Amino acid sequence: SVRTLDKADVILVAPSRCGKTPTTMYLALQHGLRVANYPLVDEDLASTDLPRPILHLQDRCFGIITTAARLSAVRTERRPDSTYASLRQCAYELKRAEALYRTHDLPVIDSSAKSVEEMSTLILQVLARRAHRHD
């Protein structure tokens, strides 16, 4: 829920079907973190501004990307022959998401070639480095 984003230790930001939910579940169940998903929708992708609900939480955000082909394949399973699943739409959303991540210097994890465990390890490493810097 957007109302509970402030309580999250980590916020995974990505277009729909990039792997946010399995990673969220793994980090929560295996590592006891409070993890939120923030799905980027068309309005969010129209600019490189962080969406208002996560604007003040940038330090907790991690961007997730994948390849357009993989995203299209996953979305096709859900909604075959749709604009949502088209390679063109997927490429557009990923390009816009990457621009947003780059603008705000968010750590980015590519889910196309990493397991949930590997993605989680990368997130935990970033969190540990940040904690070490603040000590």
Side-chain angles (χ1 to χ4, degrees), residues 45-46 60 62 108:
L45 297 169
R60 302 178 201 180
F62 289 78
V108 177

Side-chain angles (χ1 to χ4, degrees), residues 22-131:
T23 308
T24 295
M25 298 302 293
Y26 185 83
L27 284 167
L29 296 172
Q30 296 298 315
H31 297 283
L33 293 175
R34 281 178 258 145
V35 186
N37 289 353
Y38 191 89
L40 294 171
V41 296
D42 288 337
E43 305 89 75
D44 299 325
L45 297 169
S47 83
T48 56
D49 295 336
L50 272 179
R52 181 170 291 152
I54 59 173
L55 185 60
H56 65 290
L57 303 169
Q58 177 176 339
D59 61 328
R60 302 178 201 180
C61 292
F62 289 78
I64 298 180
I65 59 163
T66 188
T67 65
R70 179 159 168 72
L71 183 57
S72 177
V74 171
R75 287 180 173 187
T76 295
E77 291 286 319
R78 191 174 178 103
R79 300 223 306 260
D81 302 318
S82 64
T83 301
Y84 167 76
S86 73
L87 192 57
R88 182 179 183 162
Q89 179 66 24
C90 293
Y92 166 77
E93 289 183 31
L94 291 167
K95 180 179 162 201
R96 297 299 304 155
E98 287 183 79
L100 187 146
Y101 305 154
R102 204 171 29 256
T103 298
H104 298 281
D105 200 27
L106 299 184
V108 177
I109 298 167
D110 185 343
S111 67
S112 66
K114 287 185 178 44
S115 67
V116 168
E117 294 85 357
E118 290 170 311
M119 292 170 56
S120 297
T121 296
L122 292 172
I123 292 167
L124 293 168
Q125 289 170 346
V126 170
L127 294 175
R129 279 195 302 271
R130 287 178 180 168

